[in-house]
Amino acid sequence: MQAWQVHELGEPGEVMRLAEAERPTPGEGQVLLKVRAANINFPDALMCRGHYQVRPPLPFTPGVEICGETEDGRRVIANPALPHGGFAEYAVADAAALLAAPEALDDAEAAALHIGYQTGWFGLHRRARLEAGETLLVHAAAGGVGSAAVQLGKAAGATVIGVAGGAEKAAVARELGCDVVIDRREQDVVAAVKEATGGRGADVIYDPVGGQAYAQSAKAVGFEGRIVVVGFASGSIPSPALNHALVKNYSILGLHWGLYNTRNPELVQHCHEQLTGLAARGAIRPLVSERVPLDGAADAVQRVADGVTTGRVAVLPAPENGAAS
């Protein structure tokens, strides 16, 4: 089979190499999956650089979420068991963690209805307890993680403010349904949030960026607001001023979705059922901005790493099929 392999750490476009490889052999409790679509995530780039908390042994194949097909023909969503990731024709995954691919979504969309949407659902509902009528601020609203949070926020009945960088990404945020869009390159984010909320600030802030975005969040959060920290795509990890959280009476909530897979896997299944229902009703649908063939994976991962893509980019090892149009 063909598979992308990383033999040394560095930038994805430089260290990912397409090669012929043996099909991976499932271990105990694992299954072999034919990859129908693999979604690109920022952690794929971080793993190539050696900057992610998970460091698979070299050589490894990146690709942390897929829509795959079991040997008995079931269409499923899975997190491949590294080092045999999803940017290949075949991958392996833990049998107990397989999720049924929603019939309402095609392969690329189904592959994207996992880490980003699970993170969004847990962050907004489990951690922040977002309520209908509240105001949700989403940083990087046009990106893969942010676009999921925007859709989930709207589905929950929140007023959604999306922050994006540049006119193109701002337009994507509007198309996603944001009630207010702030172009961080052209506007003062904090002032714009205060103006949009009558000076109150946002009730919930969803931050996959860190750095300057977090600093803006601390100034834009409202009374009894909640800042959900889900990542640091900016590369800068902020150091919150806890005295500021005290005097403004807001909460800082961390979310590491992967922990639920081991600490409370039943909740992951429950979340998937909620997401499947929302997809069936058309309330959410992953924004897949590009679908690239397998030989285009390295370039696509590099572009995701560089922050120049919107929504999700999917790698298709074979011509796509699947459900819904």
Side-chain angles (χ1 to χ4, degrees):
M1 70 165 189
Q2 285 195 309
W4 284 93
Q5 295 182 334
V6 175
H7 289 265
E8 59 185 5
L9 301 178
E11 287 301 303
E14 298 174 0
V15 300
M16 287 178 61
R17 298 190 182 100
L18 189 60
E20 285 294 327
E22 295 292 327
R23 287 188 188 180
T25 301
E28 184 177 354
Q30 295 181 331
V31 294
L32 179 69
L33 297 174
K34 181 179 181 180
V35 179
R36 297 171 68 119
N39 179 43
I40 298 175
N41 285 266
F42 194 65
D44 294 315
L46 293 179
M47 275 191 284
C48 288
R49 294 168 174 166
H51 295 168
Y52 196 55
Q53 56 259 39
V54 176
R55 296 193 177 189
L58 298 171
F60 68 87
T61 296
V64 296
E65 67 178 346
I66 66 170
C67 175
E69 183 177 330
T70 63
E71 292 183 279
D72 59 2
R74 289 178 295 132
R75 187 168 162 263
V76 298
I77 297 173
N79 297 127
L82 299 173
H84 304 294
F87 301 148
E89 293 181 290
Y90 288 87
V92 293
D94 293 335
L98 298 181
L99 300 171
E103 295 182 0
L105 304 178
D106 65 27
D107 293 340
E109 292 166 339
L113 191 84
H114 195 23
I115 297 175
Y117 279 85
Q118 288 258 346
T119 299
W121 189 91
F122 274 94
L124 298 180
H125 294 291
R126 180 80 178 178
R127 302 293 282 133
R129 307 291 182 181
L130 178 68
E131 297 181 5
E134 289 192 310
T135 298
L136 167 66
L137 170 65
V138 179
H139 288 287
V145 174
S147 62
V150 168
Q151 292 183 1
L152 289 168
K154 292 297 295 181
T159 296
V160 179
I161 301 173
V163 178
E168 180 183 351
K169 292 187 177 183
V172 171
R174 291 189 189 92
E175 292 171 5
L176 285 166
C178 289
D179 299 282
V180 177
V181 176
I182 300 171
D183 184 345
R184 61 176 174 80
R185 295 181 182 174
E186 300 293 336
Q187 298 171 265
D188 181 315
V189 172
V190 176
V193 173
K194 293 295 182 69
E195 180 180 357
T197 60
R200 293 181 298 104
D203 298 296
V204 175
I205 298 180
Y206 192 79
D207 182 12
V209 180
Q212 180 63 24
Y214 179 84
Q216 295 165 345
S217 298
K219 295 178 181 179
V221 67
F223 175 73
E224 292 194 329
R226 292 84 80 198
I227 301 174
V228 186
V229 178
V230 298
F232 311 104
S234 68
S236 175
I237 300 177
S239 298
L242 297 185
N243 61 321
H244 191 259
L246 186 153
V247 298
K248 282 195 67 176
N249 214 49
Y250 63 86
S251 301
I252 304 167
L253 305 171
L255 174 63
H256 179 193
W257 169 75
L259 285 179
Y260 288 96
N261 286 303
T262 54
R263 299 292 183 89
N264 198 337
E266 293 82 7
L267 267 179
V268 175
Q269 179 62 47
H270 170 71
C271 174
H272 183 64
E273 292 168 0
Q274 299 299 307
L275 295 175
T276 298
L278 290 170
R281 299 203 310 268
I284 61 174
R285 192 181 194 107
L287 172 62
V288 180
S289 59
E290 295 181 61
R291 300 160 194 257
V292 301
L294 184 60
D295 62 9
D299 175 69
V301 174
Q302 186 64 59
R303 287 187 287 111
V304 170
D306 293 340
V308 298
T309 60
T310 57
R312 289 299 191 187
V313 179
V315 177
L316 307 178
E320 185 178 25
N321 44 52
S325 59

